[in-house]
Amino acid sequence: RRGRPDGSPGGGSAVTAFEKFSVVIPEAYVMGLAVLWLICSVVFKPRDYRVTAIVLGVIGIFLTWASTHGATMTTPVATQIRFYGAYRIDFFSQGFKLLLMIGYVLILNLPKSEKSLLKESQAEYHFLVATALFGMMLLTSAYDLLVLYLAMETTSYSFYILCVLRRRVTESTEAGLKYVLIGATSSAIMLLGIAYLYGSTGTTSLPAVLARSSDLATSPGYALGVFLMFAGILFKLSAFPFHFW
């Protein structure tokens, strides 16, 4: 079969169409969950959605497990590069998405995850958690610096709002404000590093940037870009030596 520019296999058979769609089932399902919770927060009266969320999460676990296998459901999914080289799908990334989905269901089972929230915020809580999960899933398959950045920002924005979701708690508002300021700073640093890497290599593709690392090891712009990008990531993770802030 002849390939296509976006890295997807050619051909028009039903099996091929299933293969092309099945590998992005986890992202599509979680994005659908986020839209569902957003609609619930606007259309329906406030209620406890915990049981419904857990059931939908369990369904997501089975769908994600199915996406780690090929069309025959007996062999691991083959490595694929999609969306013009910006998204890599393989057994490793799909396995991490399965772990993320399991973690999502476990979080929903925490006894205090929702009790301290107002009833009006229940649907918003599930929407934000699903959106954060979507960003993490994008992160596991990111094969381009810009996709990596957008995935991290999608997750971060959800966490910013989750911090201030307990509107009656002063500490929650304070934590959210500090988180936004630190997150904005780290995002700016990381984006500046990506800009330096693009200026040095002429591409944002991760394999292309890594392939030129040996040739540009002595380049000040390349070294500065790597430093700033990792500084932004470590800032977001509160990892050494940026944990002091």
Side-chain angles (χ1 to χ4, degrees):
R1 293 183 301 183
R2 299 179 62 185
R4 292 180 177 176
D6 62 348
S8 60
S13 64
V15 174
T16 302
F18 177 79
E19 289 176 347
K20 291 166 61 178
F21 175 74
S22 64
V23 291
V24 294
I25 282 178
E27 294 91 329
Y29 182 77
V30 173
M31 196 67 236
L33 280 182
V35 173
L36 173 65
W37 294 124
L38 184 61
I39 294 174
C40 289
S41 66
V42 177
V43 177
F44 300 108
K45 294 181 179 179
R47 66 185 71 180
D48 187 0
Y49 294 102
R50 184 181 177 189
V51 176
T52 304
I54 291 174
V55 172
L56 292 174
V58 172
I59 295 174
I61 290 176
F62 285 103
L63 291 176
T64 307
W65 176 85
S67 73
T68 62
H69 297 75
T72 61
M73 298 300 291
T74 57
T75 57
V77 63
T79 300
Q80 303 176 40
I81 309 298
R82 293 293 185 85
F83 307 114
Y84 297 91
Y87 207 68
R88 178 187 173 97
I89 296 170
D90 53 24
F91 188 72
F92 183 78
S93 65
Q94 299 303 93
F96 260 97
K97 291 170 190 175
L98 178 60
L99 291 177
L100 288 171
M101 184 62 75
I102 293 173
Y104 169 72
V105 175
L106 292 177
I107 289 174
L108 296 178
N109 279 282
L110 292 176
K112 295 183 179 180
S113 61
E114 300 178 26
K115 289 185 177 180
S116 59
L117 297 175
L118 297 174
K119 185 174 266 189
E120 292 80 6
S121 303
Q122 298 290 323
E124 296 174 13
Y125 168 80
H126 291 294
F127 164 72
L128 293 170
V129 174
T131 307
L133 176 63
F134 176 72
M136 294 177 193
M137 285 186 170
L138 292 181
L139 193 61
T140 63
S141 292
Y143 213 48
D144 187 275
L145 292 176
L146 292 181
V147 176
L148 178 73
Y149 174 78
L150 292 175
M152 293 190 71
E153 290 305 292
T154 302
T155 304
S156 298
Y157 289 154
S158 302
F159 287 160
Y160 299 156
I161 305 174
L162 280 171
C163 277
V164 298
L165 209 55
R166 296 180 175 90
R167 299 182 179 92
R168 297 179 180 178
V169 181
T170 306
E171 290 80 1
S172 176
T173 305
E174 179 184 354
L177 178 60
K178 291 179 178 178
Y179 195 10
V180 168
L181 293 176
I182 294 176
T185 302
S186 61
S187 296
I189 294 172
M190 181 180 175
L191 197 58
L192 183 61
I194 292 175
Y196 271 105
L197 287 176
Y198 176 74
S200 301
T201 62
T203 180
T204 57
S205 174
L206 275 174
V209 171
L210 293 175
R212 299 201 59 187
S213 59
S214 58
D215 299 332
L216 298 172
T218 58
S219 171
Y222 184 84
L224 182 60
V226 171
F227 173 77
L228 291 175
M229 189 184 74
F230 277 100
I233 294 176
L234 295 177
F235 221 120
K236 282 185 176 292
L237 297 177
S238 298
F240 178 84
F242 303 98
H243 61 290
F244 292 107
W245 293 276

